[in-house]
Amino acid sequence: MITLKKLFSHTVLTFALSAAALGVIGCGGVNLDNQPKYKPLAASRFFANGQSSRPLVEGTVPRGSFTTDSLLITGKVNGKLADLFPFPVTEQVLERGQDRFNTFCSPCHGRLANGEGMVVRRGFPQPPSFQTDSVRAMPAGFFFDVITNGFGRMYSYAPSVPVRDRWAIVAYIRALQLSENVAVKDLPEAEQHQLLGKAQ
Amino acid sequence: MAQLFHPRSTVISKASIVIVIIVLTSVIVAATEIYRSGYTTGQNVAREQPIPFSHKHHVNDEGLSCAYCHTSVDKSSFAGIPPTYTCMTCHSQIWTTSPMLQPVRDSYQTQKPLEWIRVHDLPDFVYFNHSIHINKGIGCETCHGRVDQMPLMRRQNTLFMAWCIDCHRAPEKYIRPRSEVFNMTYEYPKNQEAFGKKLVKEYNVQVNRITDCSTCHR
């Protein structure tokens, strides 16, 4: 027969063991909030420089993106900057180019590619306007090359802008150059009316 | 036989019941409030960073888009913290002698990354993905608040699961056109309910699946 005293001591023992077990799980077990795995850019004590991400070996290309299409990846054909696009320029490409241009280029070059971006007003040396005859005469591959490799004080934008986006930007630069240098008589009739109507 | 209880004990026993209820309630309310407060969750607490980087200045005064620095936000789970290289794209030319930016120049020269303190840190069992939110029309501001008005970065929201679920149960309340995702001052239209439902359909948001446990936990 179980005496009251025995029941009491059993209860105490059960509680004590449960508490101890919880303690072991809580302290020595896996912490689910911070699991032993690396998230992007996490620090590491394993590698000498303290970074968990390893630098890319030079010449590494993402799987599936290797190509020998020289025009696409360098803007050159037979070693010379080409005035060609490696893929058809559609409305979608132009829209992507507008979005990327406004994000990455407009801070310095301005939204009209006239070299009057906000960062220039803060003291960054002014880049040339793209709306001059000499820049307008540059081949498309030239702009691609500048985005890829940088130019003068401009750093390379290859790390932040993928290849196809660079071409989309070049296409949009062409659109901007056109839009800022078009004669009124070359506009569609409806827009001519609108423009002249406003000017009067 | 003498009376076991004094006449006053009725009052005392009744009062003690009330007191116990009050005390218990206060303890529960206090515990909940502390649990939800910025003290515990880190909400609205600015962290000390290696450089007092101002999002307000870069976004509001300079007009930089979020994606200029957080380049992988639309294609990866991780929005991306810019390398020092990105800072130096401008700061190799402007504010070149500012003592505040000395750690940036040191980092660039020594190739040792700046160690920013994480402001939004989800538990490791949550598999949050930035790109899906951006591509389905959830604005940066919806979760991160008016970052363009934050001189020092802080967490606008608790990141509690209840807060996530609030939107996952009714995305039409928060969805916006994809073109407005990076807009910090987007105003929802008056007919957001109907407009949101239209966008949810147009962007093919899987309303039946986004409240599944396995959507965020694996």
Side-chain angles (χ1 to χ4, degrees):
Chain A
M1 200 188 117
I2 303 171
T3 62
L4 204 63
K5 200 175 161 191
K6 221 171 177 180
L7 187 68
F8 180 72
S9 65
H10 272 218
T11 316
V12 170
L13 191 68
T14 314
F15 271 106
L17 279 177
S18 317
L22 279 175
V24 169
I25 294 166
C27 305
V30 179
N31 176 350
L32 290 179
D33 274 10
N34 295 299
Q35 297 165 20
K37 65 179 180 186
Y38 292 130
K39 289 211 224 170
L41 302 189
S44 165
R45 276 181 296 177
F46 186 78
F47 296 106
N49 71 350
Q51 287 174 271
S52 60
S53 319
R54 300 287 80 214
L56 295 178
V57 176
E58 206 173 322
T60 308
V61 288
R63 191 186 164 94
S65 74
F66 179 74
T67 172
T68 49
D69 184 344
S70 157
L71 177 62
L72 178 71
I73 54 174
T74 64
K76 292 177 187 170
V77 173
N78 297 328
K80 274 189 73 183
L81 293 170
D83 201 14
L84 290 167
F85 283 86
F87 49 84
V89 176
T90 61
E91 194 177 341
Q92 264 182 330
V93 169
L94 276 178
E95 275 173 8
R96 178 70 180 166
Q98 180 181 40
D99 180 69
R100 297 290 95 177
F101 180 89
N102 287 341
T103 301
F104 291 104
C105 315
S106 73
C108 287
H109 292 284
R111 293 216 163 196
L112 299 175
N114 54 8
E116 291 176 18
M118 185 56 92
V119 179
V120 172
R121 290 197 219 166
R122 307 288 185 209
F124 199 99
Q126 184 163 25
S129 166
F130 293 175
Q131 308 292 359
T132 58
D133 287 341
S134 58
V135 178
R136 225 174 291 133
M138 289 294 188
F142 170 77
F143 297 97
F144 179 86
D145 183 63
V146 170
I147 303 172
T148 309
N149 299 312
F151 187 93
R153 294 182 174 92
M154 174 180 158
Y155 279 23
S156 158
Y157 273 72
S160 24
V161 188
V163 168
R164 296 184 79 87
D165 281 352
R166 282 175 232 160
W167 282 109
I169 290 174
V170 177
Y172 184 65
I173 290 173
R174 284 291 193 233
L176 280 176
Q177 288 176 329
L178 196 64
S179 74
E180 291 296 292
N181 287 282
V182 72
V184 177
K185 64 175 173 54
D186 295 335
L187 289 171
E189 210 164 298
E191 286 182 28
Q192 282 191 38
H193 283 306
Q194 199 191 357
L195 206 66
L196 295 171
K198 263 183 195 161
Q200 276 164 11
Chain B
M1 191 176 127
Q3 274 195 332
L4 265 177
F5 296 102
H6 193 273
R8 256 182 302 181
S9 44
T10 313
V11 178
I12 292 172
S13 66
K14 278 182 183 164
S16 58
I17 291 172
V18 174
I19 288 169
V20 163
I21 290 172
I22 291 174
V23 168
L24 271 181
T25 321
S26 333
V27 166
I28 291 169
V29 169
T32 323
E33 284 305 311
I34 291 170
Y35 181 67
R36 285 185 186 159
S37 72
Y39 178 75
T40 317
T41 63
Q43 186 185 11
N44 287 326
V45 178
R47 301 284 163 84
E48 196 169 321
Q49 302 283 2
I51 298 156
F53 176 85
S54 168
H55 277 88
K56 177 176 187 285
H57 173 68
H58 289 85
V59 180
N60 192 36
D61 304 350
E62 311 297 8
L64 291 178
S65 162
C66 312
Y68 186 94
C69 300
H70 304 291
T71 51
S72 57
V73 73
D74 61 342
K75 42 188 177 283
S76 158
S77 64
F78 186 52
I81 301 295
T84 311
Y85 180 89
T86 306
C87 311
M88 292 300 281
T89 305
C90 291
H91 289 295
S92 60
Q93 299 294 328
I94 51 178
W95 294 93
T96 48
T97 52
S98 160
M100 215 190 271
L101 293 176
Q102 192 57 44
V104 178
R105 295 188 289 269
D106 289 346
S107 161
Y108 191 64
Q109 272 153 17
T110 59
Q111 294 286 301
K112 240 183 119 42
L114 291 163
E115 289 186 37
W116 301 99
I117 308 301
R118 219 184 156 115
V119 175
H120 295 82
D121 189 13
L122 284 169
D124 284 1
F125 50 81
V126 181
Y127 290 78
F128 176 80
N129 190 314
H130 271 98
S131 68
I132 190 79
H133 289 85
I134 297 295
N135 290 314
K136 298 282 180 183
I138 300 300
C140 309
E141 182 233 338
T142 304
C143 300
H144 294 289
R146 291 293 301 275
V147 172
D148 63 324
Q149 293 179 349
M150 296 182 190
L152 292 176
M153 195 57 198
R154 59 190 163 79
R155 177 145 41 87
Q156 173 91 10
N157 288 296
T158 56
L159 305 192
F160 279 164
M161 184 170 141
W163 170 79
C164 302
I165 283 287
D166 177 47
C167 180
H168 275 227
R169 280 188 180 139
E172 68 274 5
K173 285 198 285 186
Y174 302 97
I175 199 166
R176 54 171 85 177
R178 279 189 189 121
S179 55
E180 301 296 333
V181 162
F182 296 106
N183 185 352
M184 278 284 138
T185 53
Y186 177 72
E187 278 180 31
Y188 287 101
K190 285 209 176 74
N191 63 339
Q192 173 63 19
E193 183 98 29
F195 183 59
K197 280 201 171 122
K198 190 182 136 270
L199 288 179
V200 163
K201 214 167 164 201
E202 193 182 321
Y203 296 164
N204 197 18
V205 177
Q206 305 281 310
V207 270
N208 297 325
R209 292 177 51 199
I210 56 175
T211 47
D212 287 356
C213 307
S214 63
T215 299
C216 312
H217 306 294
R218 285 159 212 165

